[in-house]
């Protein structure tokens, strides 16, 4: 028995994380509805509770005493059928169980606990608790089912407002004791103890199974009832039956494909979720289905991984249990099968989260035994599908990674490698497998799917787990063992756990008395079993301690002679399939878009891992939270696909026969990208001469000029600018740029310019000639004036000379005469 605390009785949260991206604790799957006094279910029954409370309180029994009923069972049933005011408060859940053991030993007094939980929003008035036993022996499964069916199933009562909870009905049995019940506040739990003398069950002390029940009456109103069953500890045991158990080791659903270091530190701490899960299975004969994301997430941290995480990985490697991989992030394999994917999705790369500084060549654990060794070699994009998806493969164990070389980061294959016992097992979510899914899983290497009992048609009780389902091999969990086993592993109180384990013992007691004993059965725990790991450990111990059980391996259950079964077609809802299809198509679009990077894995790696995280089967029970997470992821991927785009441009005028169109490209990614810019004209007025290839730095923009030439005619042209990756993948959305082509203006403009030049130079020359002529004329005039002056001067001097000559002539004779006279 597991000690309990008041908080544990009120609520047990499935989520244990520091990551805000993970599903909040308030989700329906994370917090069980029946443990909240103010839940939507409580609100639904509030009106009924209010109507019931007044008459119940007014007529509440006071001073009821304990006693043993001596009337015949038929008389008791007849008396109860006359209670006209019988009505149910469906949010009141009851359980009954012996206090000292999970079985009942006739011949000695037996003490029972009756637990009453008020899961409504209204108080339940004081009343009377009545303990009832079965009127006759229960020695086959039909009688057991009939006894248990008389009271509402507590699991159905806590499932939520979408489940129709039957009204409480009188139990067809024998009243053996009564005790008073106090008023129960909303959300409260009351436990009443009643001790029965040995003679109270003397009439049925040879029955292999003993049925007990309880009724809560407030006045004449039957408020709630419950029936449980327990093995007779004195019944003889003929032989043992082999029973195998499969237990998942997973973490709460989130939108992250790699677990954060802070979460790993929390979960692998001594009392963390993952540590408690190993506590529950260590040393116990159970098979473990583990999410490979846990192993890879620890290894990607290298030497920076929390010490508790690497120690946890070492501890996992040291377990002697059978270990097989679930899909990465426990992704939904049934949905992928129903979409007909070429192969199951798996992680493609971890390059973006690997820091070479964290890989110095020192192994974090024993590489040979697959502990925390990180492997060596650069991360390779060509890792094969089996490495990318550890759910694929054959029966051969997956090899452990080798020790990394100094300064090198591990490959994807090395991060995922583990020495699994077998790698051919698929474990779809309960009741999600449709026709054709088993053949698909076999085709991708998962030849041994584990099916929930609700996914196959009911067969004879206690049939082997090994099955041939519509011609395909499978192993089917037994419904009669799985249901009480899961109920016990998820119990929130001691009484609830005692009742569930008692039911499990009752089923095994009837199996022991059955003529056709199976070779090996299989029981499975639910994906959320890790939240109550202490209950899981106690439940597994109780099962192993049952003298009618021989613990068996999963391999033994798979290898037993197969039983022919028929699949119940249980395809997943169309809306979920549509969302899964959107996720997968978006992942493919990002993969194509990533070719703009030199290393596409920087984008494709995280996108694929996060897509797988969104396919986690744990999301199935929390549809609103999953829809919100998917919507946020799709928006984020849309931003990534739009991160490289053409910046819209204003209209352009083209007035020459050859020019270039300037185009600006935006890169909002944190990585450099290379794109091919292509310009397409809407008509022949422009002709694009060539494409342009451009590399843009991270988170920046760059401009490239695309050469174009004028075609025929002038007018309006629309240029469509589009981008592609170097591999021809379209990138972003095309942008239209309006262009006005007036290529004839080039000749006219040249003519005008020529005329202007001619005129300019002509006028200049003419002015120079004119200036020159003017200067020549002026010079000529000056010369002519000079000549005239010279001539005038010459004439004047001539006249003077002539005058002088004449004067000389006139004077010479006189001189001569004078001379002669002188002589």
């Amino acid at each position: 028995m597991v000690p309990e605390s008041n908080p544990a009785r009120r609520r047990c949260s499935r989520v244990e994380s520091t990551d805000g991206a993970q599903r909040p604790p308030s989700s329906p799957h994370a917090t069980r509805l029946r443990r909240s006094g103010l839940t939507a279910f409580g609100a639904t029954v509030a009106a009924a509770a209010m109507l019931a409370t007044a008459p119940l309180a007014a007529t509440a029994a006071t001073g009821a005493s304990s006693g043993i009923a001596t009337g015949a069972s038929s008389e008791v049933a007849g008396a109860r059928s006359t209670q006209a005011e019988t009505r149910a408060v469906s949010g009141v859940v009851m359980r009954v169980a012996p206090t000292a053991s999970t079985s009942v030993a006739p011949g000695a007094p037996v003490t029972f606990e009756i637990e009453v939980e008020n899961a409504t929003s209204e108080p339940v008035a004081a009343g009377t608790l009545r303990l009832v036993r079965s009127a006759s022996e229960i020695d086959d499964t039909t009688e057991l089912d009939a006894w248990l069916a008389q009271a509402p199933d507590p699991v159905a009562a806590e499932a939520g407002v979408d489940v129709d909870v039957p009204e409480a009905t009188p139990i067809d049995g024998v009243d053996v004791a009564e005790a008073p019940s106090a008023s129960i506040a909303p959300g409260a739990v009351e436990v009443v103890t009643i001790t029965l003398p040995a003679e109270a069950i003397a009439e049925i002390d040879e029955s292999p199974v003993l049925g007990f029940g309880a009724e809560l009456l407030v006045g004449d109103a039957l408020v709630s009832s419950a029936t449980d069953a327990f093995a007779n500890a004195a019944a003889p045991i003929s032989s043992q039956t082999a029973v195998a158990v499969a237990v998942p080791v997973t973490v709460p659903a989130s939108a992250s494909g790699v677990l954060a270091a802070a979460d790993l530190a929390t979960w692998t701490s001594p009392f963390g979720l993952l540590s408690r899960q190993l506590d529950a299975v260590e040393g116990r004969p159970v098979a473990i289905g583990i999410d490979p994301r846990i192993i890879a997430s620890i290894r990607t941290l290298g030497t920076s991984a929390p010490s508790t995480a690497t120690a946890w990985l070492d501890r996992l490697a040291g377990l002697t249990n059978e270990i097989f991989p679930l899909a990465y992030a426990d992704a939904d394999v049934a949905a992928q099968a129903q979409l007909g994917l070429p192969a199951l999705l798996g992680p493609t790369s971890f390059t973006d989260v690997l820091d070479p500084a964290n890989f110095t060549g020192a192994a974090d654990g024993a590489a040979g035994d697959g502990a925390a060794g990180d492997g060596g070699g650069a991360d390779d994009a060509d890792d094969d599908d089996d490495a990318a998806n550890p759910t694929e493969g054959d029966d051969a164990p997956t090899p452990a990674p080798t020790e990394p070389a100094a300064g090198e980061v591990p490959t994807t294959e090395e991060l995922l490698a583990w020495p699994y016992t077998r790698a051919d097992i698929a474990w779809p979510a309960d009741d999600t497998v449709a026709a054709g899914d088993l053949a698909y899983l076999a085709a991708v290497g998962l030849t041994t799917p584990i099916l929930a009992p609700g996914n196959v048609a009911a067969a004879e009780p206690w049939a082997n787990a090994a099955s041939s389902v519509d011609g395909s091999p499978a192993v089917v969990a037994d419904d009669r063992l799985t249901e009480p086993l899961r109920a016990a592993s998820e119990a929130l109180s001691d009484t609830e756990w005692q009742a569930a384990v008692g039911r499990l013992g009752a089923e095994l007691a009837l199996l022991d008395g059955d003529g056709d004993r199976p070779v090996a059965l299989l029981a499975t725990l639910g994906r959320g079993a890790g939240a109550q790991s202490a209950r899981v450990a106690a439940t597994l111990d109780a099962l192993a301690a049952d003298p009618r059980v021989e613990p068996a391996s999963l391999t033994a259950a798979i290898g037993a002679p197969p039983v022919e079964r028929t699949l119940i077609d249980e395809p997943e809802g169309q809306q979920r399939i549509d969302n899964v299809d959107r996720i997968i198509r978006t992942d493919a679009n990002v993969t194509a878009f990533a070719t703009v990077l030199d290393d596409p894995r920087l984008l494709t790696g995280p996108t694929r891992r996060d897509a797988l995280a969104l396919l986690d089967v744990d999301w199935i029970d929390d549809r609103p939270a999953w829809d919100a997470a998917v919507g946020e992821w799709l928006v984020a991927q849309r931003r990534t696909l739009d991160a490289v785009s053409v910046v819209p441009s204003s209209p352009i005028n083209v007035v020459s026969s050859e020019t270039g169109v300037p185009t600006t490209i935006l890169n909002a990614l944190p990585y450099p990208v290379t794109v091919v810019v292509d310009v397409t004209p809407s008509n022949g007025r422009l002709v694009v001469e060539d494409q342009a290839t451009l590399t843009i730095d991270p988170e920046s923009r760059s401009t490239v000029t695309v050469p174009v030439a004028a075609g025929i005619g002038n007018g309006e042209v629309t240029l469509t600018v589009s981008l592609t990756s170097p591999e021809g993948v379209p990138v972003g959305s095309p942008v239209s740029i309006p262009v006005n082509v007036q290529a004839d203006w080039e000749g006219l403009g040249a003519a005008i310019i020529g005329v202007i030049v001619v005129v300019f130079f002509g006028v200049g020359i003419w002015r120079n000639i004119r200036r020159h002529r003017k200067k020549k004329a002026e010079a000529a005039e000056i010369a002519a004036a000079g000549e005239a002056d010279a001539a005038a001067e010459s004439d004047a001097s001539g006249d003077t000379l002539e005058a002088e000559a004449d004067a000389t002539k006139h004077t010479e004779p006189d001189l001569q005469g004078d001379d002669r006279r002188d002589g």
Side-chain angles (χ1 to χ4, degrees):
M1 195 178 304
V2 180
E4 58 183 333
S5 63
N6 290 334
R9 291 173 63 83
R10 290 194 301 269
R11 173 69 62 203
C12 177
S13 175
R14 164 105 159 77
V15 175
E16 181 181 334
S17 169
T18 58
D19 189 350
Q22 292 169 345
R23 186 175 56 224
S26 58
S27 66
H29 184 66
T31 35
R32 296 165 61 184
L33 222 62
R34 62 188 176 84
R35 289 291 177 188
S36 175
L38 297 175
T39 58
F41 177 75
T44 303
V45 301
M50 292 176 64
L51 293 174
T53 301
L56 295 184
T59 59
T62 57
S65 60
S66 184
I68 300 175
T70 56
S73 60
S74 60
E75 295 175 347
V76 173
R80 291 176 183 159
S81 65
T82 62
Q83 295 178 341
E85 295 190 33
T86 299
R87 55 188 302 128
V89 180
S90 55
V92 178
V93 180
M94 300 179 64
R95 304 170 191 89
V96 57
T99 58
S101 175
T102 57
S103 60
V104 176
V110 182
T111 301
F112 286 88
E113 281 185 347
I114 301 176
E115 182 180 82
V116 184
E117 179 182 357
N118 181 11
T120 72
S121 58
E122 296 293 332
V124 174
T128 301
L129 284 173
R130 181 181 292 160
L131 184 63
V132 184
R133 68 161 173 82
S134 57
S136 58
E137 294 184 354
I138 300 175
D139 53 13
D140 60 39
T141 56
T142 302
E143 294 175 349
L144 176 60
D145 292 341
W147 171 255
L148 296 175
Q150 294 187 78
D153 184 359
V155 176
E158 68 195 35
V161 295
D162 294 334
V163 178
D164 292 330
V165 182
E167 292 185 349
T169 56
I171 299 173
D172 185 8
V174 177
D175 294 349
V176 290
E178 287 186 352
S181 171
S183 176
I184 307 173
V189 176
E190 181 185 12
V191 178
V192 176
T193 301
I194 298 177
T195 300
L196 291 182
E199 57 268 22
I201 53 177
E203 295 182 8
I204 56 171
D205 59 2
E206 294 184 0
S207 174
V209 173
L210 305 173
F212 290 89
E215 297 174 335
L216 173 60
L217 296 96
V218 178
D220 293 332
L222 178 62
V223 176
S224 183
S225 61
T227 51
D228 288 293
F230 308 91
N232 186 342
I237 298 173
S238 59
S239 60
Q240 293 180 314
T241 301
V243 177
V245 180
V247 180
V249 174
T250 59
V251 296
S254 74
S256 176
V258 173
L259 305 178
D263 284 340
L264 289 172
T266 300
W267 289 331
T268 58
S269 63
F271 299 101
L273 173 67
L274 290 174
S275 294
R276 298 200 314 268
Q277 291 187 73
L278 288 194
D279 291 341
V281 298
E282 186 174 17
R284 295 177 174 87
V286 298
I288 300 172
I290 190 167
D291 179 359
R293 173 176 52 172
I294 302 171
I295 298 171
S297 296
I298 297 174
R299 287 176 171 169
T300 57
L301 296 172
T303 56
S304 67
S307 58
T308 56
T310 55
W312 184 91
L313 209 56
D314 290 339
R315 183 182 175 193
L316 177 68
L319 296 182
T320 58
N321 302 68
E322 293 176 291
I323 301 179
F324 63 92
L326 303 171
Y328 187 89
D330 201 11
D332 189 348
V333 296
Q336 297 178 65
Q338 288 160 33
L339 284 170
L341 301 184
L344 291 176
L345 300 180
T348 57
S349 174
F350 294 86
T351 301
D352 57 299
V353 293
L354 294 175
D355 185 353
N358 294 330
F359 299 91
T360 59
D364 295 327
D369 61 9
D374 292 299
D379 198 0
D380 189 358
D382 297 328
D383 290 339
D384 58 28
D385 290 341
D386 287 342
N389 184 2
T391 63
E392 299 176 18
D394 51 23
D395 293 341
T398 305
T402 58
E403 185 174 335
E408 293 185 346
V409 297
T411 65
T412 299
E413 180 181 13
E414 289 165 339
L415 291 171
L416 295 169
W418 193 264
Y420 295 113
T421 307
R422 54 191 306 150
D424 63 335
I425 296 175
W427 194 350
D430 291 348
D431 304 333
T432 59
V433 177
D437 291 357
L438 298 182
Y440 173 90
L441 294 174
V444 298
L446 301 179
T447 56
T448 312
I450 297 176
L451 298 183
N455 231 148
V456 295
E460 292 295 324
W462 318 119
N464 280 345
S467 305
S468 176
V469 182
D470 292 347
S472 297
V475 56
V476 180
D478 188 88
D479 60 336
R480 305 200 70 88
L481 298 184
T482 296
E483 181 182 348
L485 189 72
R486 291 189 178 188
S489 68
E490 298 169 3
L492 297 180
S493 70
D494 285 346
T495 305
E496 184 179 359
W497 183 83
Q498 292 277 108
V501 175
R503 159 80 185 281
L504 180 62
E507 298 285 2
L508 292 169
L510 295 179
L511 167 61
D512 185 47
D514 192 77
D516 298 327
R517 184 177 298 278
V519 174
L521 299 175
L522 172 67
T524 62
L525 295 187
R527 293 303 206 272
Q532 286 284 68
S533 54
R535 296 291 185 195
V536 173
T539 302
L540 294 176
D541 288 342
L543 178 65
D546 193 299
R548 300 174 178 85
V549 171
E550 178 186 1
S553 66
L554 179 60
T555 298
I558 293 172
V563 176
E564 291 291 335
R565 299 178 189 259
T566 301
L567 183 74
I568 296 178
D569 193 19
E570 293 277 5
E572 301 194 36
Q574 188 58 47
Q575 190 173 359
R576 173 173 171 80
I577 291 295
D578 290 343
N579 265 356
V580 172
D581 185 47
R582 292 186 187 97
I583 293 171
I584 293 172
R585 285 189 287 108
T586 300
D587 171 71
N589 292 338
V590 172
T591 299
F593 168 79
T595 55
V596 299
L597 303 180
D598 291 337
D599 186 359
R601 295 171 299 173
L602 295 172
L603 277 184
T604 60
T607 301
R608 171 61 63 82
R609 296 193 307 265
D610 292 350
L612 290 169
L614 289 172
L615 298 184
D616 191 337
V617 299
D618 201 22
W619 287 107
I620 293 178
D621 292 332
D622 195 355
R623 181 57 184 272
W626 183 66
D627 287 342
V630 170
E632 291 176 3
W633 184 82
L634 291 175
V635 170
Q637 301 316 306
R638 184 71 265 168
R639 285 197 298 267
T640 297
L641 294 173
D642 293 338
V644 179
S645 60
V646 180
V647 178
S649 172
S650 58
I652 300 174
N653 291 318
V654 174
V655 295
S656 62
S657 59
E658 292 187 0
T659 186
V661 177
T663 304
T664 301
I665 312 301
L666 172 67
N667 173 24
L669 293 175
Y671 315 108
V673 300
T674 301
V675 293
V676 178
V677 184
D678 190 17
V679 178
T680 304
S682 60
N683 54 51
R685 294 189 178 99
L686 281 181
V687 177
V688 178
E689 296 182 349
D690 199 2
Q691 297 175 327
T693 300
L694 180 66
T695 298
I696 308 107
D697 292 333
E699 299 178 341
S700 64
R701 61 177 64 193
S702 182
T703 301
V704 63
T705 299
V706 180
V708 296
I712 301 174
N714 301 324
E716 300 293 332
V717 180
T718 299
L719 293 180
T720 301
V721 183
S722 59
L723 304 177
T724 59
S725 72
E727 295 185 8
V729 178
V731 175
S733 300
V735 172
S736 297
I737 301 176
V739 178
N740 181 26
V741 180
Q742 296 295 335
D744 290 346
W745 281 101
E746 182 182 20
L748 180 59
I752 294 173
I753 293 174
V755 171
I756 292 174
V757 171
V758 170
V759 171
F760 177 78
F761 284 103
V763 171
I765 293 171
W766 176 78
R767 289 181 64 187
N768 286 337
I769 293 173
R770 185 180 176 187
R771 187 182 304 112
H772 181 66
R773 287 178 177 177
K774 184 177 180 180
K775 288 181 179 180
K776 281 187 69 177
E778 291 176 351
E781 289 179 358
I782 293 172
E787 290 178 357
D789 292 341
E793 292 178 358
S794 177
D795 290 344
S797 76
D799 290 342
T800 303
L801 291 175
E802 288 180 359
E804 291 179 350
D806 287 344
T808 301
K809 288 179 178 181
H810 288 299
T811 60
E812 284 183 350
D814 294 336
L815 291 175
Q816 293 177 358
D818 293 338
D819 289 339
R820 287 187 303 262
R821 284 189 301 267
D822 292 335

